Amino acid sequence: MSYPYRKMNRKPSINYLVILLCIGVLVLLNIVLGSSPISFSEVLNTLKGQGDSVTSNIIFNLRLPEVMMAMMVGVSLSLSGLLMQTFFRNPLAGPSVLGLSSGAGLGVAIVMMTGLPAMLSFGSGLAVQVLASAIGTGVVLALIVSLSRIVKDNTSLLIIGLMVGYFASAVVGSLEVFAERISLQKFVFWGMGSFSSTTWREIQLIFVILMVLVLATLFISKILDVYLLGEDYPTTMGVDIKKWRIIIILLAGLMTGVVTAFAGPVAFLGLAVPHVARMIFKTAKHGVLIPGTLLLGMMIALACLLVSKLPGLDFRLPINAVTSLIGAPVVIFLIFKQRKMRL
Amino acid sequence: MKALLEIQNITLGYGLNEPILLDASAPLKEGRLTALLGVNGIGKSTLIRAMVGMMACRSGKILMDEKELFQLSLADRSQKISLVKTSLPDLGYMTAQDFIGMGRHPYTNWIGRLMKKDQQIIDSVIESMGIENLALRYLFELSDGERQKVIVARALVQDTPVIVMDEPIAFIDPVASLELLDILKKQCADNGKTILFSSHDIGATFMYADDVWLIDNDRTIISGTPNALIENGSVEAVFGKKGFELGQNTVGFKPC
């Protein structure tokens, strides 16, 4: 070989391993730490089935579901963000920026505060909440995409996304005035974002849906690579952009919608994590970025969960406050960095 | 000489506006470097967009090997005709080598894995273009001229008989332009590629092009060899203006 390119194929597997290790540590810490700390030996005993019932109750019904939820939210929002950044060819695209979270919020607000599910005589209302969140996300995404056909310039599109978000929030704000106190309270807590109070049944449901969506995303990594090149190249490279456009939008919308229904509109993860993945793996190839983003999403969500528990035993920071505290500086940093990378 | 690709009586336009090209016909001969010339805004890019299927023709047809190009599937077309553009979106940490490798997409499996044969083709293109030193660098680190070579390399790697290029020498300096045209010419002569490139740089173009498609003021195409078009006055008719004439001894670089 006359030029040194094989050396270039630095194996990303070391990065993957390090991240996996961090995830392991964070999972443990998140099980150990909480409003009633549990020691490592107690955790081990409980996992062996020898712990007392209170501890095992805390671990199996509170801590583990929370950890699972954090990981799933991290995965789905981050991948959704990666899909959107590739789709819009815009580094600042993401579920919370383009108004998707607000769309989900509007859907959930309508369900929670108007008593619609009760009227339609749905049992739990939970399925309705998931559906409403997914539909809300989907509607906003469809709106943004159709506008993106007219407005070619990315910055304008982002501003439109922000405006759509404000609009949805305004409708939610108006609904709040008429809502009953209990449902309003429920909605406000939902809006702060939370990984807790999910049942194993719900987790199983989200897990199955997510597995399908993640596999589908991996399956289209080659298409996503070509998508990066703009509108003209894919057509000449045998990729039907119109067909894949719908699939990418559906994947991004569903991933955001499903977890938002449960965990609330968690900010910044979707925007920031793909960038962290790009910086660590130093590649633009989705075959590497998708697994990287997925793992980093888990890791960062777990870290946020841990930080949210830090203030002490009885208090918890809202997840949204933590993700924004970390995410906002990351985004500003990225904008500075991006200026050096312009073609 | 055989026309590998041929446009026949095509009319192009956006929406209900005046047509950009009217009833234009021209042959693209196999193994030759053809230049698409015309003044700014005349519709060179539009024609190229139509030729790669990015916009539909109002009438007329584009034939490839005597078959209508757009009756072929997208996958088949991607093995017949490839594209080179001037600009690229922000591709982040995309290395030149990864970008060039994407030219193999029409041939690779669902995950885009490069097989030995793909890698050999990529290597030989990189070597033949003399861009080994660029392979490892990120696209955003390259100069305009270097990046243009990489963009051309991607199209070569796609291994199609025909390549169309939209303004490949528009933003690079004179000698780099000649270098690139030299590479294109060799690809045609040595590897039998058929290349159409648009430009408005008459000087550089006429040093290398075997044939010329000239979009004239009637919005149709005059095709022929460079010398023929200069001699019959078409070039002057298209580009000339009162007070200017086509120079004989103007200053400019040429290969030696």
Side-chain angles (χ1 to χ4, degrees):
Chain A
M1 191 56 49
S2 58
Y3 64 101
Y5 86 89
R6 286 270 145 72
K7 258 187 265 161
M8 176 62 189
N9 286 338
R10 324 182 185 107
K11 290 276 174 229
S13 36
I14 296 164
N15 288 328
Y16 290 139
L17 267 178
V18 172
I19 299 169
L20 273 173
L21 212 72
C22 292
I23 291 174
V25 172
L26 283 165
V27 166
L28 256 182
L29 284 176
N30 270 306
I31 293 176
V32 171
L33 294 176
S35 51
S36 56
I38 305 169
S39 72
F40 281 107
S41 55
E42 276 178 288
V43 172
L44 276 179
N45 278 336
T46 311
L47 290 181
K48 275 189 259 169
Q50 297 161 356
D52 61 282
S53 65
V54 179
T55 315
S56 82
N57 191 26
I58 292 177
I59 291 179
F60 285 113
N61 292 330
L62 292 174
R63 301 274 164 87
L64 268 180
E66 194 175 48
V67 163
M68 283 296 290
M69 192 63 195
M71 291 201 285
M72 293 194 298
V73 171
V75 167
S76 54
L77 289 184
S78 311
L79 278 188
S80 180
L82 179 65
L83 284 174
M84 284 184 220
Q85 285 164 12
T86 298
F87 181 82
F88 289 106
R89 284 187 288 284
N90 190 324
L92 291 180
S96 49
V97 184
L98 285 174
L100 299 196
S101 303
S102 311
L106 180 56
V108 171
I110 289 173
V111 169
M112 274 191 187
M113 296 198 284
T114 60
L116 202 66
M119 270 192 281
L120 297 172
S121 71
F122 280 106
S124 65
L126 189 67
V128 186
Q129 189 174 319
V130 175
L131 208 63
S133 165
I135 291 174
T137 314
V139 168
V140 173
L141 197 50
L143 187 70
I144 302 280
V145 168
S146 46
L147 286 172
S148 78
R149 310 294 298 270
I150 309 164
V151 187
K152 291 285 175 202
D153 143 52
N154 280 336
T155 318
S156 311
L157 196 66
L158 279 184
I159 294 171
I160 290 175
L162 287 174
M163 292 307 129
V164 171
Y166 278 121
F167 186 82
S169 306
V171 176
V172 172
S174 312
L175 278 175
E176 282 174 354
V177 177
F178 302 105
E180 288 169 39
R181 230 174 94 173
I182 298 170
S183 50
L184 178 61
Q185 202 175 27
K186 220 170 112 192
F187 181 75
V188 169
F189 274 118
W190 176 85
M192 290 197 284
S194 160
F195 297 145
S196 56
S197 61
T198 28
T199 63
W200 279 110
R201 269 193 74 83
E202 290 161 16
I203 286 172
Q204 280 169 356
L205 176 74
I206 311 172
F207 184 80
V208 172
I209 298 175
L210 265 189
M211 278 300 278
V212 176
L213 296 177
V214 168
L215 283 178
T217 309
L218 268 173
F219 201 75
I220 60 168
S221 60
K222 170 176 162 177
I223 306 293
L224 290 170
D225 282 348
V226 184
Y227 238 93
L228 282 176
L229 302 184
E231 296 246 320
D232 298 348
Y233 281 111
T235 312
T236 63
M237 291 164 82
V239 173
D240 185 348
I241 336 184
K242 277 188 197 131
K243 182 177 93 188
W244 291 105
R245 164 180 278 146
I246 299 165
I247 293 173
I248 295 174
I249 292 168
L250 262 178
L251 283 174
L254 279 174
M255 279 199 266
T256 300
V258 169
V259 298
T260 304
F262 292 96
V266 176
F268 282 111
L269 275 184
L271 173 56
V273 174
H275 288 289
V276 179
R278 283 188 202 102
M279 267 187 270
I280 290 178
F281 290 93
K282 294 259 191 284
T283 180
K285 304 196 88 170
H286 287 81
V288 177
L289 278 183
I290 291 172
T293 302
L294 187 151
L295 292 175
L296 279 167
M298 281 188 202
M299 188 184 101
I300 293 173
L302 285 169
C304 289
L305 176 62
L306 196 65
V307 172
S308 81
K309 297 177 181 178
L310 284 184
L313 301 180
D314 298 325
F315 293 99
R316 268 199 180 201
L317 297 176
I319 286 297
N320 255 337
V322 179
T323 53
S324 303
L325 276 176
I326 301 173
V330 168
V331 172
I332 293 174
F333 170 74
L334 285 170
I335 291 172
F336 277 105
K337 201 175 151 59
Q338 212 83 41
R339 290 158 57 99
K340 288 186 216 141
M341 278 180 42
R342 279 282 145 74
L343 288 182
Chain B
M1 189 164 300
K2 191 181 142 212
L4 184 58
L5 189 143
E6 195 168 7
I7 60 171
Q8 284 185 350
N9 310 100
I10 64 168
T11 298
L12 291 175
Y14 291 101
L16 297 171
N17 297 334
E18 286 281 289
I20 287 168
L21 272 185
L22 194 61
D23 203 22
S25 302
L28 201 59
K29 291 176 189 156
E30 190 167 5
R32 285 166 80 89
L33 180 63
T34 304
L36 172 60
L37 286 178
V39 293
N40 276 334
I42 192 86
K44 301 189 288 288
S45 297
T46 308
L47 176 57
I48 282 179
R49 281 170 62 81
M51 288 177 74
V52 297
M54 281 301 293
M55 74 181 281
C57 302
R58 282 189 190 164
S59 64
K61 49 191 168 182
I62 299 176
L63 298 179
M64 170 98 198
D65 271 337
E66 282 145 26
K67 271 177 277 183
E68 243 186 276
L69 187 61
F70 296 115
Q71 282 176 1
L72 297 174
S73 71
L74 215 52
D76 286 342
R77 243 193 287 155
S78 69
Q79 304 191 3
K80 300 270 186 211
I81 184 162
S82 57
L83 174 71
V84 166
K85 296 206 327 172
T86 318
S87 60
L88 275 180
D90 181 356
L91 293 176
Y93 290 105
M94 176 87 78
T95 59
Q97 163 194 304
D98 282 346
F99 178 76
I100 294 169
M102 286 176 77
R104 296 306 296 167
H105 270 236
Y107 309 90
T108 54
N109 65 1
W110 61 275
I111 205 157
R113 186 182 176 145
L114 295 172
M115 296 311 195
K116 205 165 184 180
K117 182 177 168 249
D118 300 311
Q119 201 62 64
Q120 280 166 356
I121 292 173
I122 295 169
D123 291 350
S124 75
V125 167
I126 287 179
E127 272 170 57
S128 75
M129 289 190 70
I131 51 172
E132 294 92 336
N133 58 329
L134 307 182
L136 297 183
R137 293 169 57 197
Y138 296 118
L139 292 179
F140 63 84
E141 297 174 324
L142 305 180
S143 72
D144 289 339
E146 291 171 332
R147 195 177 310 126
Q148 198 61 45
K149 281 187 191 169
V150 169
I151 296 174
V152 168
R154 190 214 60 85
L156 289 173
V157 158
Q158 198 173 330
D159 203 17
T160 55
V162 179
I163 308 174
V164 291
M165 308 190 174
D166 193 7
E167 299 278 1
I169 58 169
F171 299 113
I172 55 184
D173 57 44
V175 176
S177 301
L178 300 186
E179 255 183 355
L180 191 68
L181 290 176
D182 188 56
I183 289 171
L184 300 185
K185 178 110 179 182
K186 286 197 177 111
Q187 286 295 333
C188 294
D190 304 344
N191 298 342
K193 297 280 177 199
T194 305
I195 297 177
L196 176 75
F197 72 97
S198 67
S199 179
H200 46 251
D201 183 341
I202 313 175
T205 297
F206 276 32
M207 273 183 251
Y208 287 95
D210 299 311
D211 292 309
V212 173
W213 290 8
L214 187 64
I215 302 184
D216 74 0
N217 302 327
D218 299 331
R219 309 215 153 252
T220 185
I221 296 176
I222 309 169
S223 61
T225 60
N227 283 335
L229 293 185
I230 291 176
E231 276 160 24
N232 71 17
S234 305
V235 173
E236 201 150 7
V238 167
F239 288 98
K241 253 189 184 158
K242 211 176 161 204
F244 298 89
E245 61 167 19
L246 206 54
Q248 295 294 327
N249 297 311
T250 48
V251 175
F253 285 93
K254 59 181 177 28
C256 56

Coordinates of all heavy atoms in Angstrom, one line a residue, chain B residues 3-4 24 31 47-48 57 63 66 94 101 132 137 141 143 197 210 230 252:
Chain B
A3 N -22.3 7.6 -30.1 CA -22.8 8.5 -29.0 C -23.2 7.6 -27.9 O -24.2 6.8 -28.1 CB -23.9 9.3 -29.5
L4 N -22.6 7.6 -26.8 CA -22.9 6.8 -25.6 C -24.2 7.3 -25.0 O -25.1 6.5 -24.6 CB -21.8 6.8 -24.6 CG -22.0 5.8 -23.4 CD1 -22.1 4.4 -23.9 CD2 -20.8 5.9 -22.5
A24 N -33.4 21.1 -27.5 CA -32.0 20.9 -27.7 C -31.6 19.5 -27.9 O -32.2 18.6 -27.3 CB -31.3 21.5 -26.5
G31 N -15.8 7.9 -24.7 CA -14.4 8.1 -24.5 C -13.9 9.5 -24.8 O -12.7 9.7 -25.0
L47 N -29.5 21.8 -17.1 CA -29.3 20.7 -18.0 C -28.7 19.5 -17.3 O -29.1 18.4 -17.4 CB -28.5 21.1 -19.2 CG -28.1 19.9 -20.2 CD1 -29.4 19.3 -20.7 CD2 -27.3 20.4 -21.4
I48 N -27.7 19.8 -16.5 CA -27.0 18.7 -15.7 C -28.0 18.1 -14.7 O -28.0 16.9 -14.6 CB -25.7 19.3 -15.1 CG1 -24.7 19.3 -16.2 CG2 -25.3 18.4 -13.9 CD1 -23.3 19.9 -15.8
C57 N -37.8 16.5 -17.8 CA -37.8 17.3 -19.1 C -39.2 17.6 -19.5 O -40.1 16.7 -19.3 CB -37.1 16.5 -20.2 SG -35.4 16.1 -19.9
L63 N -31.1 9.5 -24.1 CA -30.9 8.1 -24.4 C -29.5 7.7 -23.9 O -28.5 8.4 -24.1 CB -30.9 7.9 -25.9 CG -32.3 8.1 -26.6 CD1 -32.1 7.9 -28.1 CD2 -33.4 7.3 -26.0
E66 N -28.8 3.9 -26.4 CA -30.1 3.8 -27.2 C -31.3 3.4 -26.4 O -32.4 3.1 -26.9 CB -29.9 2.8 -28.4 CG -29.1 3.5 -29.5 CD -28.2 2.6 -30.3 OE1 -28.5 1.4 -30.3 OE2 -27.2 3.1 -30.8
M94 N -15.8 13.9 8.0 CA -15.7 12.9 6.9 C -14.3 13.0 6.3 O -13.9 14.1 5.9 CB -16.8 13.3 5.9 CG -16.8 12.5 4.6 SD -17.7 11.0 4.7 CE -19.4 11.6 4.5
G101 N -14.9 6.6 -0.8 CA -15.4 5.2 -0.7 C -16.9 5.2 -0.9 O -17.5 4.2 -1.3
E132 N -2.9 10.5 -2.8 CA -2.6 9.6 -1.6 C -2.5 10.5 -0.4 O -2.9 10.1 0.7 CB -1.3 8.8 -1.8 CG -1.4 7.8 -2.9 CD -0.9 8.3 -4.2 OE1 -1.0 9.5 -4.4 OE2 -0.5 7.5 -5.1
R137 N -7.1 12.9 5.3 CA -7.5 14.2 5.9 C -9.0 14.4 5.8 O -9.7 13.8 5.0 CB -6.7 15.3 5.1 CG -5.3 15.2 5.5 CD -4.4 16.1 4.6 NE -4.7 17.5 4.7 CZ -4.2 18.3 3.8 NH1 -3.5 17.9 2.8 NH2 -4.5 19.6 3.8
E141 N -10.4 20.2 5.9 CA -9.0 20.6 6.0 C -8.5 20.9 4.6 O -7.4 21.4 4.5 CB -8.2 19.5 6.7 CG -8.5 19.3 8.1 CD -7.8 18.1 8.6 OE1 -7.5 17.1 7.9 OE2 -7.4 18.1 9.8
S143 N -8.0 22.3 0.7 CA -8.2 23.5 -0.1 C -9.2 23.2 -1.2 O -9.6 22.1 -1.4 CB -6.9 23.9 -0.8 OG -6.6 23.1 -1.9
F197 N -18.5 18.2 -18.8 CA -18.3 19.1 -17.7 C -18.8 20.5 -18.1 O -18.5 20.9 -19.2 CB -16.9 19.1 -17.1 CG -15.9 19.8 -18.0 CD1 -15.5 21.1 -17.8 CD2 -15.3 19.1 -19.1 CE1 -14.6 21.7 -18.7 CE2 -14.4 19.6 -19.9 CZ -14.0 21.0 -19.7
D210 N -12.4 17.6 -26.0 CA -12.5 17.0 -27.3 C -13.7 17.5 -28.1 O -13.6 17.7 -29.3 CB -12.6 15.5 -27.2 CG -11.5 14.8 -26.5 OD1 -10.3 15.1 -26.8 OD2 -11.7 14.0 -25.5
I230 N -15.1 27.5 -33.0 CA -14.5 28.8 -33.1 C -14.5 29.3 -34.6 O -14.9 30.5 -34.8 CB -13.0 28.7 -32.6 CG1 -13.0 28.5 -31.1 CG2 -12.3 30.1 -32.9 CD1 -11.6 28.3 -30.6
G252 N -2.1 33.5 -20.3 CA -2.8 32.4 -19.5 C -1.8 31.2 -19.5 O -0.9 31.1 -20.2

